[in-house]
Amino acid sequence: MITYNAQAQTFTLHTKNTTYQMAVHPTGVVQHIYYGRRLRDCDLRGLVRGADRGFSPNPDEAGRDRAFSLDMTPQEYSTCGVGDFRLPSIAFALPNGSHTADLRYCGHAIRAEKYTLPGLPAFHGEGGTLVVHLEDRAARVGVDLYYGVLEEYDLITRAVRVVNRGSEEIQLCRCASLCLDFLRADMDFITFDGRHLAERSPARAALLPGVRSVGSVRGASSHQHNPFVVLCEQDADEDRGLCYGAMLLYSGNFEAAVERDQYDGSRLVMGIHPYHFCWTLAPGACFDTPEAALVCSSGGLGEMSRQFHRAIRNCLIRDSRANVRKPVLVNNWEATYFDFNKDKLLSIAKEAAALGVELFVLDDGWFGERNDDNSGLGDWRVNTDKLPGGLEALTPELEKLGLSFGIWVEPEMVSEDSELYRAHPDWAFQVPGRKPSRGRNQLVLDFSRQEVRDHVYGQLKEVLSSAPVAYVKWDMNRNLTEVWSAGLPPRRQGEVFHRYVLGVYEILERLRTDYPDILIEGCCGGGGRFDGGMLYYTPQIWCSDNTDAIYRLQIQYGTSFCYPLCSMGAHVSAVPNEQNGRSAPLETRGITAMSGAFGYELDLSKCTPEEKQEIRRQIETYKRRWELLHCGDYYRLTNPFENGPYTAWEQVSQDKREALVSLVAGGAQAAPPFRLLKLKGLDPARDYRVNGGEAYGGDALMYAGYPLPLMQGDYAGLQLYLEAIE
Ligand code: DGJ
């Protein structure tokens, strides 16, 4: 619900459990007043106070009121160069060379539908929009603040549109999607950081005076930091405390910065990273930022995550199968790498089909002259030496086995050793006069250019039309360097990073429109582009190139703070694991993988009869329990970074009639103590039968705990299925 109090000039956004209020100050500055637990309708302006403070300037409209300073007052969208010395949200260079931005309220609109953003991902669903119009009169620049309110999901979205109303070009050098001021700084900042093969480990620290910022200047949202951050009360944990989660729906360079100011207020600013960002706005032109989304939960980090999961599943992922079981797949990458032919693929496929797998995914190496990772990218036509007769010959054989077919592509890249590069060397990013850097011995295509995208998409279309393709894995195996486009004049090179992302979104949208039934899995060397922007186009994302089930406990745990389990590609792979040499039991590998978008990635024809039996059992369990696994409410029961005796998590059905507890023990122990595992989210008044055997009260399971059996061996796994007794 969005309300406007004309007398007080306040705007109040109510969701089911939260309230957000802002007010137009007599100077015209739009102040941020409150965001937190839901309150009755009231005027909260009294929360914000001012005082005459040294070295905090007063705007002209304040007259002799020295108590009002932009440097202290909380704002909806911070400016620069006119008295607020904290983190700016916007900066532009005017034709006269000035770098000041000063914004005042000039109107608003309330709409019954949630806004959309042209060419950019955005949440959808039932909800309203508030647009607050601001303007910089001297610069003749309009700034519209968009607020989307998805009441049922406790989700508030933000986006910004900047319009040049002047008669000359201006340069937009910074334009955040979100600015959120707090009247407090006694909070922790949680970021999700890592590296290739070890993505999204939570890092939590109290706010100290000054700025802490994470981000990416790699052209992708990155393995190193995720465009999702949390600010929370210092004693907040999984079950208690006020938490604010902020996600940016963007897959390129981003920055999430938080500042604790001199008077113990704080400010979170999130948006496109200002590094090498400079957008020319011609007279009359506008610029739209990516969307940011906020969830505020007073019930701890667990509740915050569950709100994001529901909202992402129902209002961001557009795949018609978002809440439908995805096919169990087998992927040939770790089974064969580049060394395969049709017979080898079919031998894996045959075993897979017999075990209950439904989709065969052909990974890298099926196209061009691609026999290793030094060549072939850009030549998207089937290598008929490896696959005689092309996909037209392979897919009927898979169909006979009852398998649908999926294919890997990496459309944004080009190998220098390819026909595409030989014909169009200028289509790859490189700066004139410099030698380009290589990553995995490949270059990045300039997807800011329409003709480059059209050419690549044309090739993809031919492949996808040559056979029934049910799934596409869209990979990206390096970051961007030497970013310079032959398609833009020198003064507009600061647009290329963002135009690249818009280009990726455009081609993905075309793919979705032309092939609505194809399931697209995003990938960037695993989890290097795991963000809300990609999830809008690709309902699942390969979570990490690290397939070790024990390491995955941490990666999937960190990822789950924002993203739902059904979006995390997770496969059972062979042991010793290819990335770290660890050997986890097959049962444990199955338990970890089936919490995500489930599949296998090993040569099934090499499995023993016992292993095949276990795989068959896993697939049956997944098919029976997928709804609980993917649509149930998710509870983190332990933190795998704390090196406790086990890692456990739980999914509970919406009606609390069923639950599934998954547990993976650490290294083997001699004479281990008996342990009780406290469950969450059950109905305390109901009794639950555990694995078809003994029954326990929901209250007893939550407040006393479930008596865990003693477990033998390293990394043993356990699953408990709970069913309420009617
Ligand atoms: C990186 C991906 O994450 C892997 O799963 C695999 O597809 C390789 N690329 C193929 O080159």
Side-chain angles (χ1 to χ4, degrees), residues 91-101 136 138-141 164 168-173:
F92 39 76
L94 297 180
N96 65 10
S98 78
H99 271 78
T100 50
D136 183 325
R140 301 184 63 200
V141 172
N164 179 3
E168 288 181 82
E169 245 177 41
I170 65 163
Q171 313 285 331
L172 191 60
C173 330

Side-chain angles (χ1 to χ4, degrees), residues 124 313-314 316-326 512 515-520 536-537 539 626:
H124 49 84
R313 272 202 324 260
N314 298 330
L316 179 62
I317 292 176
R318 293 174 298 165
D319 191 88
S320 52
R321 286 148 302 195
N323 286 320
V324 171
R325 183 173 76 73
K326 310 270 177 48
R512 272 185 44 81
Y515 302 95
D517 294 329
I518 290 185
L519 170 64
I520 314 176
Y536 185 67
Y537 304 95
W626 73 271

Side-chain angles (χ1 to χ4, degrees), residues 333 363-364 408 440 473 475 477 523 525-526 542 545 601:
W333 178 243
D363 211 281
D364 196 353
W408 176 98
R440 208 193 189 196
K473 177 174 172 188
D475 206 347
N477 282 301
C523 178
W542 183 225
D545 271 352
E601 189 161 334

